[in-house]
PDB file of all heavy atoms in Angstrom:
ATOM      1  N   VAL A  79     -15.713  -5.050   6.774  1.00  0.00           N
ATOM      2  CA  VAL A  79     -16.534  -6.151   6.853  1.00  0.00           C
ATOM      3  C   VAL A  79     -17.979  -5.769   7.168  1.00  0.00           C
ATOM      4  O   VAL A  79     -18.190  -4.789   8.032  1.00  0.00           O
ATOM      5  CB  VAL A  79     -16.044  -7.272   7.909  1.00  0.00           C
ATOM      6  CG1 VAL A  79     -14.727  -7.840   7.346  1.00  0.00           C
ATOM      7  CG2 VAL A  79     -15.938  -6.729   9.266  1.00  0.00           C
ATOM      8  N   VAL A  80     -18.908  -6.483   6.737  1.00  0.00           N
ATOM      9  CA  VAL A  80     -20.325  -6.141   6.977  1.00  0.00           C
ATOM     10  C   VAL A  80     -20.817  -6.908   8.233  1.00  0.00           C
ATOM     11  O   VAL A  80     -21.505  -6.316   9.072  1.00  0.00           O
ATOM     12  CB  VAL A  80     -21.180  -6.424   5.797  1.00  0.00           C
ATOM     13  CG1 VAL A  80     -22.658  -6.055   6.111  1.00  0.00           C
ATOM     14  CG2 VAL A  80     -20.720  -5.627   4.581  1.00  0.00           C
ATOM     15  N   PHE A  81     -20.466  -8.208   8.354  1.00  0.00           N
ATOM     16  CA  PHE A  81     -20.971  -8.981   9.347  1.00  0.00           C
ATOM     17  C   PHE A  81     -19.744  -9.272  10.449  1.00  0.00           C
ATOM     18  O   PHE A  81     -18.631  -9.294  10.020  1.00  0.00           O
ATOM     19  CB  PHE A  81     -21.470 -10.294   8.852  1.00  0.00           C
ATOM     20  CG  PHE A  81     -22.654 -10.104   7.854  1.00  0.00           C
ATOM     21  CD1 PHE A  81     -22.467 -10.255   6.556  1.00  0.00           C
ATOM     22  CD2 PHE A  81     -23.824  -9.843   8.349  1.00  0.00           C
ATOM     23  CE1 PHE A  81     -23.528 -10.072   5.730  1.00  0.00           C
ATOM     24  CE2 PHE A  81     -24.941  -9.693   7.509  1.00  0.00           C
ATOM     25  CZ  PHE A  81     -24.857  -9.812   6.136  1.00  0.00           C
ATOM     26  N   GLY A  82     -20.209  -9.544  11.632  1.00  0.00           N
ATOM     27  CA  GLY A  82     -19.210  -9.810  12.633  1.00  0.00           C
ATOM     28  C   GLY A  82     -18.612  -8.576  13.290  1.00  0.00           C
ATOM     29  O   GLY A  82     -18.980  -7.474  12.885  1.00  0.00           O
ATOM     30  N   ALA A  83     -17.791  -8.798  14.258  1.00  0.00           N
ATOM     31  CA  ALA A  83     -17.169  -7.650  14.869  1.00  0.00           C
ATOM     32  C   ALA A  83     -16.063  -7.078  13.996  1.00  0.00           C
ATOM     33  O   ALA A  83     -15.330  -7.740  13.429  1.00  0.00           O
ATOM     34  CB  ALA A  83     -16.486  -8.191  16.228  1.00  0.00           C
ATOM     35  N   HIS A  84     -16.096  -5.729  14.005  1.00  0.00           N
ATOM     36  CA  HIS A  84     -15.120  -5.057  13.201  1.00  0.00           C
ATOM     37  C   HIS A  84     -14.552  -3.958  14.079  1.00  0.00           C
ATOM     38  O   HIS A  84     -15.024  -3.623  15.246  1.00  0.00           O
ATOM     39  CB  HIS A  84     -15.569  -4.588  11.903  1.00  0.00           C
ATOM     40  CG  HIS A  84     -16.829  -3.636  12.030  1.00  0.00           C
ATOM     41  ND1 HIS A  84     -16.681  -2.363  12.240  1.00  0.00           N
ATOM     42  CD2 HIS A  84     -18.103  -3.807  12.012  1.00  0.00           C
ATOM     43  CE1 HIS A  84     -17.884  -1.786  12.274  1.00  0.00           C
ATOM     44  NE2 HIS A  84     -18.799  -2.766  12.199  1.00  0.00           N
ATOM     45  N   THR A  85     -13.356  -3.288  13.552  1.00  0.00           N
ATOM     46  CA  THR A  85     -12.720  -2.328  14.390  1.00  0.00           C
ATOM     47  C   THR A  85     -13.051  -0.899  13.755  1.00  0.00           C
ATOM     48  O   THR A  85     -13.735  -0.736  12.805  1.00  0.00           O
ATOM     49  CB  THR A  85     -11.185  -2.497  14.152  1.00  0.00           C
ATOM     50  OG1 THR A  85     -10.876  -2.479  12.708  1.00  0.00           O
ATOM     51  CG2 THR A  85     -10.770  -3.738  14.742  1.00  0.00           C
ATOM     52  N   THR A  86     -12.700   0.076  14.626  1.00  0.00           N
ATOM     53  CA  THR A  86     -12.939   1.435  14.264  1.00  0.00           C
ATOM     54  C   THR A  86     -11.744   2.051  13.482  1.00  0.00           C
ATOM     55  O   THR A  86     -10.701   1.444  13.682  1.00  0.00           O
ATOM     56  CB  THR A  86     -13.231   2.349  15.460  1.00  0.00           C
ATOM     57  OG1 THR A  86     -12.098   2.327  16.352  1.00  0.00           O
ATOM     58  CG2 THR A  86     -14.368   1.767  16.232  1.00  0.00           C
ATOM     59  N   ALA A  87     -11.974   3.100  12.808  1.00  0.00           N
ATOM     60  CA  ALA A  87     -10.817   3.837  12.249  1.00  0.00           C
ATOM     61  C   ALA A  87      -9.833   4.258  13.218  1.00  0.00           C
ATOM     62  O   ALA A  87      -8.570   4.216  12.970  1.00  0.00           O
ATOM     63  CB  ALA A  87     -11.366   5.083  11.428  1.00  0.00           C
ATOM     64  N   ALA A  88     -10.260   4.716  14.414  1.00  0.00           N
ATOM     65  CA  ALA A  88      -9.366   5.160  15.520  1.00  0.00           C
ATOM     66  C   ALA A  88      -8.454   3.940  15.865  1.00  0.00           C
ATOM     67  O   ALA A  88      -7.228   4.252  16.186  1.00  0.00           O
ATOM     68  CB  ALA A  88     -10.115   5.693  16.678  1.00  0.00           C
ATOM     69  N   LEU A  89      -8.990   2.764  16.120  1.00  0.00           N
ATOM     70  CA  LEU A  89      -8.243   1.536  16.531  1.00  0.00           C
ATOM     71  C   LEU A  89      -7.141   1.195  15.444  1.00  0.00           C
ATOM     72  O   LEU A  89      -5.980   0.907  15.733  1.00  0.00           O
ATOM     73  CB  LEU A  89      -9.142   0.545  16.930  1.00  0.00           C
ATOM     74  CG  LEU A  89      -8.349  -0.804  17.270  1.00  0.00           C
ATOM     75  CD1 LEU A  89      -7.617  -0.556  18.514  1.00  0.00           C
ATOM     76  CD2 LEU A  89      -9.310  -1.940  17.555  1.00  0.00           C
ATOM     77  N   ARG A  90      -7.610   1.264  14.188  1.00  0.00           N
ATOM     78  CA  ARG A  90      -6.688   0.983  13.075  1.00  0.00           C
ATOM     79  C   ARG A  90      -5.524   1.949  13.036  1.00  0.00           C
ATOM     80  O   ARG A  90      -4.490   1.577  12.865  1.00  0.00           O
ATOM     81  CB  ARG A  90      -7.413   0.926  11.803  1.00  0.00           C
ATOM     82  CG  ARG A  90      -8.346  -0.239  11.669  1.00  0.00           C
ATOM     83  CD  ARG A  90      -8.957  -0.432  10.354  1.00  0.00           C
ATOM     84  NE  ARG A  90      -9.772   0.627   9.733  1.00  0.00           N
ATOM     85  CZ  ARG A  90     -11.107   0.731   9.899  1.00  0.00           C
ATOM     86  NH1 ARG A  90     -11.716  -0.121  10.555  1.00  0.00           N
ATOM     87  NH2 ARG A  90     -11.710   1.816   9.413  1.00  0.00           N
ATOM     88  N   ALA A  91      -5.927   3.285  13.247  1.00  0.00           N
ATOM     89  CA  ALA A  91      -4.793   4.369  13.271  1.00  0.00           C
ATOM     90  C   ALA A  91      -3.887   4.074  14.482  1.00  0.00           C
ATOM     91  O   ALA A  91      -2.681   4.175  14.293  1.00  0.00           O
ATOM     92  CB  ALA A  91      -5.439   5.615  13.329  1.00  0.00           C
ATOM     93  N   GLU A  92      -4.407   3.644  15.571  1.00  0.00           N
ATOM     94  CA  GLU A  92      -3.508   3.342  16.747  1.00  0.00           C
ATOM     95  C   GLU A  92      -2.647   2.148  16.426  1.00  0.00           C
ATOM     96  O   GLU A  92      -1.463   2.073  16.824  1.00  0.00           O
ATOM     97  CB  GLU A  92      -4.428   3.083  17.986  1.00  0.00           C
ATOM     98  CG  GLU A  92      -3.643   2.790  19.241  1.00  0.00           C
ATOM     99  CD  GLU A  92      -4.622   2.590  20.396  1.00  0.00           C
ATOM    100  OE1 GLU A  92      -5.658   3.163  20.531  1.00  0.00           O
ATOM    101  OE2 GLU A  92      -4.159   1.698  21.271  1.00  0.00           O
ATOM    102  N   MET A  93      -3.171   1.109  15.834  1.00  0.00           N
ATOM    103  CA  MET A  93      -2.476  -0.123  15.553  1.00  0.00           C
ATOM    104  C   MET A  93      -1.351   0.061  14.473  1.00  0.00           C
ATOM    105  O   MET A  93      -0.224  -0.410  14.629  1.00  0.00           O
ATOM    106  CB  MET A  93      -3.351  -1.170  15.003  1.00  0.00           C
ATOM    107  CG  MET A  93      -4.248  -1.829  16.056  1.00  0.00           C
ATOM    108  SD  MET A  93      -5.320  -3.112  15.401  1.00  0.00           S
ATOM    109  CE  MET A  93      -4.036  -4.406  15.206  1.00  0.00           C
ATOM    110  N   PHE A  94      -1.616   0.816  13.490  1.00  0.00           N
ATOM    111  CA  PHE A  94      -0.632   1.037  12.338  1.00  0.00           C
ATOM    112  C   PHE A  94       0.072   2.295  12.365  1.00  0.00           C
ATOM    113  O   PHE A  94       0.935   2.548  11.564  1.00  0.00           O
ATOM    114  CB  PHE A  94      -1.341   0.727  11.114  1.00  0.00           C
ATOM    115  CG  PHE A  94      -1.786  -0.732  10.838  1.00  0.00           C
ATOM    116  CD1 PHE A  94      -3.214  -1.022  11.104  1.00  0.00           C
ATOM    117  CD2 PHE A  94      -0.994  -1.651  10.663  1.00  0.00           C
ATOM    118  CE1 PHE A  94      -3.652  -2.332  10.964  1.00  0.00           C
ATOM    119  CE2 PHE A  94      -1.338  -3.008  10.594  1.00  0.00           C
ATOM    120  CZ  PHE A  94      -2.676  -3.268  10.614  1.00  0.00           C
ATOM    121  N   GLY A  95      -0.330   3.148  13.161  1.00  0.00           N
ATOM    122  CA  GLY A  95       0.577   4.479  13.308  1.00  0.00           C
ATOM    123  C   GLY A  95       0.564   5.230  12.016  1.00  0.00           C
ATOM    124  O   GLY A  95      -0.499   5.475  11.433  1.00  0.00           O
ATOM    125  N   LYS A  96       1.640   5.591  11.541  1.00  0.00           N
ATOM    126  CA  LYS A  96       1.871   6.413  10.348  1.00  0.00           C
ATOM    127  C   LYS A  96       1.543   5.754   9.076  1.00  0.00           C
ATOM    128  O   LYS A  96       1.417   6.321   8.024  1.00  0.00           O
ATOM    129  CB  LYS A  96       3.363   6.808  10.344  1.00  0.00           C
ATOM    130  CG  LYS A  96       3.754   7.713  11.474  1.00  0.00           C
ATOM    131  CD  LYS A  96       5.185   8.108  11.271  1.00  0.00           C
ATOM    132  CE  LYS A  96       5.652   8.917  12.531  1.00  0.00           C
ATOM    133  NZ  LYS A  96       7.113   9.181  12.458  1.00  0.00           N
ATOM    134  N   LYS A  97       1.444   4.446   9.027  1.00  0.00           N
ATOM    135  CA  LYS A  97       1.164   3.669   7.829  1.00  0.00           C
ATOM    136  C   LYS A  97      -0.214   4.131   7.175  1.00  0.00           C
ATOM    137  O   LYS A  97      -1.186   4.163   7.955  1.00  0.00           O
ATOM    138  CB  LYS A  97       1.199   2.109   7.961  1.00  0.00           C
ATOM    139  CG  LYS A  97       2.617   1.784   8.346  1.00  0.00           C
ATOM    140  CD  LYS A  97       2.493   0.302   8.800  1.00  0.00           C
ATOM    141  CE  LYS A  97       3.891  -0.133   9.161  1.00  0.00           C
ATOM    142  NZ  LYS A  97       4.393   0.518  10.404  1.00  0.00           N
TER     143      LYS A  97
END
Side-chain angles (χ1 to χ4, degrees):
V79 295
V80 177
F81 299 104
H84 56 87
T85 57
T86 63
L89 178 60
R90 292 191 297 268
E92 182 180 326
M93 288 181 75
F94 294 104
K96 296 178 185 176
K97 293 173 184 60

